[in-house]
Amino acid sequence: MTASEIQSNVANMKSEQLPVPDDQLHGWTHFLGLYAGEHVAATEFVIGATFVALGATTQDILIGLLIGNILAILSWTLITAPIAVQTRLSLYTYLHKIAGDSVTNLYNWANVVIFTVISAAMITVSCSAVRLLFGIPAQLMWYPTNGLFVLIVVAVGMIVVLVAMYGFSAVAEFSSICGPWLVVMFSSGALVLFPALSDSVLGRTFLTGFDDFMAIGDASIWTGVNSAGEPGIGLFEVVGFAWAANTLTHFGLIDMAILRYAKHSMYGLCSSAGMLFGHYVAWIAAGIMGAGTAALMKSTIVELDPGDVAYRALGLSGYVIVIVAGWTTANANLYRAGLAAQAIFHQHPRRQVTLIVGVVTVAIACFPFVFSQMLPLLTYAGLLVVPVGGIVFAEHAIFPRLGLTRYWSRYQHERRSQQGIRSALNEGDRAVSIEKLRNVSPAVASWVAGLVFGFGLNALNVMSFFYLFLPTWAFTILLYTLMAKWAGAGADYRTEIARDKKLNEAIKAYQAKQSRQERPLAKDTSTFSRILKAVAWTSLAFTLTIALVVMFRSPNMVSYESNSQMFYTWGFVFTITYFVAAYWALRRGKTRHPQRKLP
């Protein structure tokens, strides 16, 4: 192939098929904000309450969640980020280069199922706040018990569907400013409700030391007894869930799509913004808010839904946190589900496919069991895609060390397409059978075998299902490596590798030319935008300050009621102020004038 033909092929390739160019890479602060925004969501209300219902102890929560989330951070940093930075490709593109259409289509179907269910759960969570406005009782059964609740789900759900179809970019931008506010509001909710919880346990609204916190936690939050009155989960299970909750994105490598824009693989450590400030703080805060609400309402945490908890902890801001957090998360995941479905039914437009997926999502959202079972759903979703992560990890990180060739399957397919498959009839039936066996995709076979292995371990109850992803991942890596070597990964592909090298050089040259032709956006440094950002951050600081006043300046229940009412009023005012100022600043930055690049 001539140089001009290679350049023509590169120009006709879709941007998603190309590695991310150097001029589109981001610094570490970008990823801190991104992970904080994505991993502080409405699910934290559900998961925080789940740990209470499962009967973890206070010590296990404080230590186990810390260990598990640190392991998750290391998984992003040591597994996902290096592959993403070295290839600059999304998992979808890299998987297609490794295994072709068959595995990619199966993977897209898995994503449709996973993201549809997660979107449905988030719609249900948002409706748990909306139902309070209409006086609808909490939906605690696996099926809906109120017709008006179903109508609310349909109304809220269809808004989510329409936004995912037509206006997702605006919602994605809006979601980027939600992270700091969500962290502040989760923390504030726990601070506001803790004096009431302390009064119900210790008979006083203030703490004298950390021992008081532990005593309150053991007595009324993480008691070590589950909702059935039996001994609950231990440290091992708490660590496992905190680690396994995001296997979909780190061991499953979906976050290659994000981290391919990182300048360095160590930016995987930026996931700590989501894991430590998001999951660790938010899950603990959600447990405190749930227990505090239960104490004030003379109820139990299993009889409350996120709407009850958020409203009691944050007042009107509670409506906002549940609706916004659920809505933005649902939109993002429904958009992903629509993209995955459109990749399967590529002859249909994305909006049409998203609409069909959205209708199914809304139907599922009518059944509250979806959000109440988020903990096992997230774990099993991760188990479904972990074998794919194992296949990609094996090909990228292990094959070069064993003398096997990356992308061997594509090279083999190209060679057969160019040369034709030689007839094996003159070699006997056994040769034909072996050739047919070799044509079976090792990736498909390994994925299916990995699923059978993982879910088989679960059926046999060999180990805690929180840790099933580890042996499943290792099993798939071993099996795929052996099958790929037998199928031809160890053959000589020097000609194909050389051709790929020329193509990659042509891609870099093309991207460098494009970069020189484009004009980068000038940074928005206007005084007014700076004022807007200052107003936004000051609003968050004032919100947290008032919450601290409620926590540490309420010597009795009379002053606590007064202080908490002050927080409910001003917390809502500062919430509105924050979103107006932050979103206004964001829009000004988006409409800034481009700056011409010097020659």
Side-chain angles (χ1 to χ4, degrees), residues 19 52 123 169 171 285 298 333 343 352-353 403 441 464 481 484 518 528:
V52 176
I123 291 172
S169 59
V171 175
K298 305 270 193 289
N333 285 290
Q352 180 182 345
V353 174
S441 169
S464 170
T481 302
E518 293 177 354
F528 186 62

Side-chain angles (χ1 to χ4, degrees), residues 196-237:
L197 193 58
S198 176
D199 183 72
S200 69
V201 176
L202 303 178
R204 48 185 164 84
T205 57
F206 56 90
L207 305 183
T208 59
F210 186 71
D211 288 343
D212 284 350
F213 174 84
M214 295 294 292
I216 293 170
D218 289 336
S220 63
I221 310 175
W222 305 286
T223 62
V225 178
N226 63 25
S227 56
E230 300 174 351
I233 60 174
L235 178 66
F236 187 70
E237 286 79 14

Side-chain angles (χ1 to χ4, degrees), residues 226-345:
N226 63 25
S227 56
E230 300 174 351
I233 60 174
L235 178 66
F236 187 70
E237 286 79 14
V238 174
V239 171
F241 174 73
W243 191 9
N246 291 106
T247 47
L248 187 70
T249 52
H250 49 69
F251 269 75
L253 299 181
I254 281 181
D255 268 4
M256 281 179 63
I258 294 172
L259 291 169
R260 60 183 168 148
Y261 290 95
K263 291 181 179 179
H264 195 280
S265 62
M266 291 305 292
Y267 288 4
L269 291 173
C270 293
S271 59
S272 58
M275 295 302 100
L276 298 183
F277 293 100
H279 287 185
Y280 187 71
V281 172
W283 288 348
I284 291 174
I288 294 172
M289 285 190 280
T293 301
L296 289 171
M297 297 178 66
K298 305 270 193 289
S299 180
T300 63
I301 197 166
V302 295
E303 297 175 315
L304 304 172
D305 64 17
D308 292 317
V309 174
Y311 178 71
R312 186 62 196 181
L314 301 168
L316 292 176
S317 296
Y319 288 124
V320 180
I321 193 172
V322 176
I323 294 172
V324 168
W327 183 40
T328 54
T329 308
N331 269 297
N333 285 290
L334 183 57
Y335 181 75
R336 289 168 175 165
L339 285 177
Q342 199 271 333
I344 300 168
F345 304 103

